[in-house]
Each structure stands twice: as C-alpha cells, then as structure tokens.
Amino acid sequence: MSGLPCYRWRLAPDGLATRRQLRAMGLRPGGQDVVAEVHRPRRRRDPLVAYLYRVDRAKPVRAMTPARAAALAAAMRARRTCPNCLTDAGYCIPRSLGMCVPCHDSL
C-alpha cells in the first residue's frame, strides 16, 4: 500500500481522472504527481489499480507535428510490411507469425 488515498471502483470524487479519462477529455497529466488510486477488486487475484490525476491541473494534449506524423506513418508502414515478400499486407503483421498470412500459409 502506498501513502495515497485509495478509493473503491467507481467511487472516486469528482475532479479526479485516470490517464484514459483525461485523454478522452483532450487532456494529459502534464507532469503532475499521482494524487490518488482506484482499486478494482478481482476474485482470487490482486485488485487492479488505476492512478488518478487532478483534472484542474491537467494540460491540453500537444498537437501532432508534421515530423511526429511522418515518424508514426513510417512505424506503421514497417509493421504492415511483410519481411518475407516485402509487400504491404494492409494490416499489422502478427508477431506470432512473423510474416503475412499468405506467406505463412504457403509454408
């Protein structure tokens, strides 16, 4: 246990949000520290923990720059390119196969 306030699932006070909730609002934590935790109980396992941030201290999400957009496009293109036949598969190549489905089926 940490020294942070802990709330049960769906019982956190207004004004606190998780990273995903902040992102849905177009915000980011912006370097602020975690202010609380939410615990979601599970059977026979440790509870899931989500960290909460203050919404009033959150900052807007940074805009996508042309360089970041180009880097993201290159990374996605690399994930779609089959290393075996060197074609764009049109989907992300499954890491479990290591190649596109037609190449894997032809083995």
Side-chain angles (χ1 to χ4, degrees):
M1 280 278 183
S2 63
L4 297 173
C6 297
Y7 300 101
R8 290 194 47 85
W9 187 249
R10 297 187 181 185
L11 295 178
D14 293 335
L16 299 180
T18 63
R19 282 181 178 266
R20 285 188 180 198
Q21 290 169 337
L22 288 174
R23 187 62 176 208
M25 291 184 255
L27 301 171
R28 61 185 169 96
Q32 65 174 302
D33 292 329
V34 175
V35 295
E37 296 178 348
V38 173
H39 291 259
R40 180 179 180 200
R42 298 190 296 175
R43 293 183 199 175
R44 291 179 233 131
R45 291 188 282 178
D46 290 336
L48 292 175
V49 177
Y51 298 110
L52 298 174
Y53 301 90
R54 290 182 48 177
V55 176
D56 60 345
R57 288 190 186 169
K59 297 180 180 177
V61 175
R62 293 185 187 123
M64 181 71 75
T65 64
R68 286 177 63 192
L72 181 60
M76 292 306 293
R77 190 170 38 256
R79 289 183 65 191
R80 289 191 315 262
T81 303
C82 176
N84 199 22
C85 63
L86 302 176
T87 59
D88 187 342
Y91 54 88
C92 289
I93 305 293
R95 291 176 63 192
S96 60
L97 300 180
M99 60 187 77
C100 65
V101 175
C103 289
H104 182 264
D105 289 346
S106 66
L107 293 179

